[in-house]
Amino acid sequence: MTVTTEFAREAAEFALAHGIVRYTKEGAVTHLPFSLTPWQAEKEFVDKTRRLTPLFNELYHRVAQDDAYLESTLKEAVAADEFLGRLAEAKTHELAGKPCLYLNRNDCMPSSTGPKQVEMNLMASALGEGSAAVYEMHNFLFRNEAWVGDLVENKAGEGLAWALAEGYKQLNLDGVVLFLVPFGEVNVFDQRILQVRLQRTFGVPTAKATLEELGDEGEVRNGKLYFRGQKVAIAYFRTGYAPPHYRTESAWVARQKIEATETISVPSARTQLANTKMMQLHLALPGEMQRFMSAEEAAFLDSGNVKFARLHDQLTWKGQTGTAWELAREMHDDWVLKPHREGGGNNFFGDELVELLPKVVAESADAYILMEKIRQPSFSSIRLVDHKVIPCECFTEMGFFGLALYPEASGQAAFNKEQGYLLRTKDESMNEGLVLGGYSFLDVARTS
Ligand code: ADP
Ligand code: MG
C-alpha cells in the first residue's frame, strides 16, 4: 500500500477529532501512534482469543476469592516483594463478601499453535476508547474497499462504560464512580471520554481523584466511603498498579478505606494479588486450572499457556534438564524475565536477561519469574507517529476486554462477556508493547 500525504493527513485529523490523543511532556496534545493499514488476522486466532476471555474472567474471579490458594501460591512472592506485601496488608482491611466487578483485558499473541496469553489484566485496562476510535477510523479511511466489512468490530469504549453503569444499576448503588488516576497522567483523554459516556449515556455520576487525595480526604461513615461530600459507589482504578503510584502513605490509606467500606473496588486488593505473574505461573502448572474450572474449560484455557518457571525450578527445555535460570541464561532468546510489576517496561529480554539473572538469583529469586517467549511470524505494516508515516516489520498482540459482575462474591456471574479489543502492533525490534510508552501503536484486525 502507498500512503499519500493526503491519506496520512485524513487519518491524523480523524485521530485528533476523535480523541485518539495524549498530552506531550510540554502539555501540548498530539495523536497516539496508530496503524494506517489493518493487521491481516487469522479468523481462528481472533475467535479463540475472544472465546478465552470470559473463561479467564471466571477463572481469575474464582482464584481471587480463594484465600487459602492466594496465601499458598503467593507466600514467597509476598515476602520477597515489598509492593505485594503492601497489597496483602491492604487486603486484611477488607469488608468480606463484597460484590465483584471486573473490567479486564486478556492479552494474547498469535503463535503457530494458536493464541498464547501474555497476561490477563484485571486492573486499569486502558485504551478502550482509543482502540475503538481507530477501528472507526479504518472504516472511514477504507470506505471504498470491498473488504471494509471484514474489519473486526471494536466497541471497547462503549463496553467499559456499559459494564460500570450496569454494575452500578444492578447493585442498586448510589453516589459516584470515582476514577482514581495518577499524578501527571498523559492518557487523560481515554478516561475523559469514558467519564462523559457514563454521565451522558447512562446518567451515572462520576468524579476523579488521586489515591493521595482520597487517602487524605476520604471519610468513612457507617461503613460507607465519602469523598468531598459524595458517596463513593465504585472506586475505578486507573492507577495503583505500580509502586510510583503510591507517593505517600496516604495512597495506602486510600486502599484501606476502599477495602474497609461498601465501595466496590475495581479491582479489589485480593483481585490485584490474584493478578500477579507468580499466580499466572501457578495456574499454568499441569492440572492446576482444574481446581477452579471444569476439565473441558481447563483444557481450553491451558491451550493458551506457554511455559513458566521459577528461577530455581528444575526445568527441561529443548532436551536439556537443569536449573531454570541457568537454562534461561544459556537459551536467552527463548525466555522473558519478569518481576511482579504491571504497566509495561519492566521485563528483561536477551542480553539484559543474561546480565541480570545471576544478580536476581543472589538477591531475590522469588520476586521474578521466567516466561517462555512467544514466537510469531513478522508482517508488514505502516504506522503514523507524530504525523510521520513509518513502514515497519511487525509483531502484534490482541487483548479482548472482559466484563463481568458477581453480585455475590461466591455466586454466579450476572454478566460475563467480552467486548472490543486493544490491538497493539510494534516494530519487530521492540520487546515491550506499551502504546503510551511509544513502543507500539493502535491497530485494527481484519479477517480475510
Ligand atoms: P506488564 O504487566 O508490564 O504489561 P506484560 O507481561 O504484559 O507486563 O509484558 C509487557 C510486554 O512485553 C507485553 O505486552 C509483550 O509485548 C512483551 N512480552 C511479555 N511477555 C512476553 C512473552 N512471553 N513473549 C513475547 N513477548 C512478551
Ligand atoms: Mg501487559
Side-chain angles (χ1 to χ4, degrees), residues 105 107 118-119 121 277 342-344 397 424:
R105 204 185 61 232
D107 289 342
V118 176
E119 64 160 353
N121 300 280
K277 313 282 190 240
E342 301 294 323
E397 180 170 351
R424 282 177 296 178

